[in-house]
């Protein structure tokens, strides 16, 4: 199960430019009361662009990317020579830590950023969800240090 | 000219890190057979053991979702691009 103490100590650091962080948080705030989600594009390991995306589930408790929008964003990322850098979503009322649902549905092999709106200011943490098979229901949560450049 | 298959990050550990792989034209199903022959660990990841497209995977042939075409029977010709996308979802509860 996913308790805050279970995450492995970070050995990886995700450097987030302030403007990227602020835009991601703004998108999450704008999505309330529902969860919000999106993708960060990276170039040479640095995050360069926030893609604000639709929560197709329209739920305060769950999110899913709209497949057609996801496809369009992936194409845009490839077209600019960028890479999929991270996936982000908000937790509106709980801590920035992967829920069992986050673990169960984790797919892409990139850091998953979680923006918690439970407190002010919002908190941002990142994790990798490590699973032997991507369809496994459970996995290992490994925290990624987040360093915001201000 | 071959068909390019775009591999998502979650499957790149099976393709030696490649994000794009070239295969021969055929059907979407035959592309997956070629991929699974070349990268045996990919077996069971994109398709279920009974050969159907995994429910959490979306496949696009050029700009069209294969589910709305002929699914695994969708024809793929030289120069086409096939993109495999895993569903991205989750949430606090």
């Amino acid at each position: 199960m996913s308790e805050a103490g279970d995450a492995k100590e970070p050995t990886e650091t995700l450097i987030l430019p302030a403007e990227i962080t602020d835009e991601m948080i703004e998108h999450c705030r704008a999505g309330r009361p529902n969860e919000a989600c999106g993708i960060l594009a990276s170039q040479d390991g640095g995050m360069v662009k926030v893609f604000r995306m639709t929560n197709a589930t329209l739920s305060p408790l769950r999110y899913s990317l709209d497949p057609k929008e996801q496809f369009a964003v992936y194409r845009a990322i490839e077209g600019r020579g960028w890479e999929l850098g991270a996936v982000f979503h908000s937790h509106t009322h709980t801590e920035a830590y992967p829920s069992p649902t986050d673990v169960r549905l984790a797919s892409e092999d990139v850091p998953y950023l979680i923006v918690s709106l439970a407190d002010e200011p919002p908190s941002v943490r990142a994790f990798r969800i490590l699973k032997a098979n991507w369809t496994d229901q459970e996995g290992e949560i490994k925290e990624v240090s987040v360093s915001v450049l201000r | 000219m071959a068909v390019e298959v775009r591999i998502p990050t979650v499957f790149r550990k099976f393709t030696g890190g490649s994000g794009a792989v070239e295969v021969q034209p055929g059907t979407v199903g035959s592309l997956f057979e070629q991929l699974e022959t070349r990268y045996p660990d990919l077996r069971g990841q994109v398709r279920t053991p009974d050969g159907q497209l995994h429910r959490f995977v979306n496949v696009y042939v050029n700009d069209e979702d294969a589910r709305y075409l002929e699914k695994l029977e969708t024809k793929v010709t030289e120069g086409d691009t096939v993109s495999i996308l895993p569903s991205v979802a989750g949430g606090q509860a």
Side-chain angles (χ1 to χ4, degrees):
Chain A
M1 296 300 289
S2 304
E3 297 298 331
D6 287 351
K8 281 197 158 186
E9 286 297 309
T11 55
E12 180 184 2
T13 300
L14 192 68
I15 295 168
L16 288 179
E19 61 272 22
I20 295 278
T21 310
D22 293 345
E23 185 176 354
M24 189 172 62
I25 291 172
E26 186 191 325
H27 178 57
C28 290
R29 284 190 204 276
R32 285 187 298 195
N34 293 334
E35 290 195 1
C37 52
I39 277 174
L40 302 187
S42 67
Q43 185 174 36
D44 301 326
M47 300 299 155
V48 293
K49 166 88 176 162
V50 179
F51 286 92
R52 301 169 174 228
M53 296 175 71
T54 308
N55 176 1
T57 307
L58 289 174
S59 161
L61 301 175
R62 299 285 285 269
Y63 80 96
S64 62
L65 300 190
D66 172 71
K68 214 167 180 60
E69 188 181 27
Q70 181 189 356
F71 178 61
V73 166
Y74 281 30
R75 288 283 291 260
I77 287 173
E78 283 172 17
R80 295 181 207 186
W82 296 338
E83 293 181 348
L84 178 66
V87 173
F88 73 90
H89 75 281
S90 60
H91 284 181
T92 55
H93 292 92
T94 60
E95 64 174 333
Y97 192 82
S99 70
T101 303
D102 287 328
V103 173
R104 183 169 55 84
L105 298 177
S107 55
E108 289 284 16
D109 186 16
V110 294
Y112 276 69
L113 281 154
I114 301 177
V115 177
S116 171
L117 302 175
D119 296 304
E120 283 295 334
S123 58
V124 179
R125 293 171 73 187
F127 305 87
R128 282 188 184 269
I129 313 295
L130 307 173
K131 300 197 280 191
N133 186 316
W134 74 291
T135 55
D136 286 352
Q137 302 286 299
E138 295 181 356
E140 186 180 15
I141 297 168
K142 189 170 184 184
E143 182 149 18
V144 175
S145 290
V146 173
S147 177
V148 179
L149 292 180
R150 291 204 182 271
Chain B
M1 202 174 177
V3 173
E4 183 177 87
V5 182
R6 309 293 300 174
I7 309 291
T9 62
V10 68
F11 298 141
R12 289 181 195 170
K13 61 186 170 191
F14 305 124
T15 61
S18 294
V21 174
E22 290 199 341
V23 295
Q24 293 305 306
T27 62
V28 169
S30 81
L31 302 194
F32 291 145
E33 281 163 21
Q34 293 177 60
L35 287 173
E36 290 167 1
T37 300
R38 199 180 309 174
Y39 308 109
D41 291 339
L42 203 52
R43 203 174 294 279
Q45 302 287 332
V46 182
R47 296 191 299 175
T48 58
D50 63 356
Q52 297 305 304
L53 204 55
H54 196 288
R55 59 190 282 252
F56 291 141
V57 170
N58 294 296
V59 175
Y60 284 82
V61 177
N62 299 322
D63 291 334
E64 298 294 328
D65 187 336
R67 284 186 209 277
Y68 302 112
L69 299 170
E70 304 291 325
K71 300 180 182 173
L72 290 170
E73 299 304 316
T74 304
K75 285 197 167 38
V76 183
T77 57
E78 290 187 355
D80 284 347
T81 300
V82 174
S83 304
I84 305 170
L85 273 75
S87 296
V88 172
Q92 62 195 306

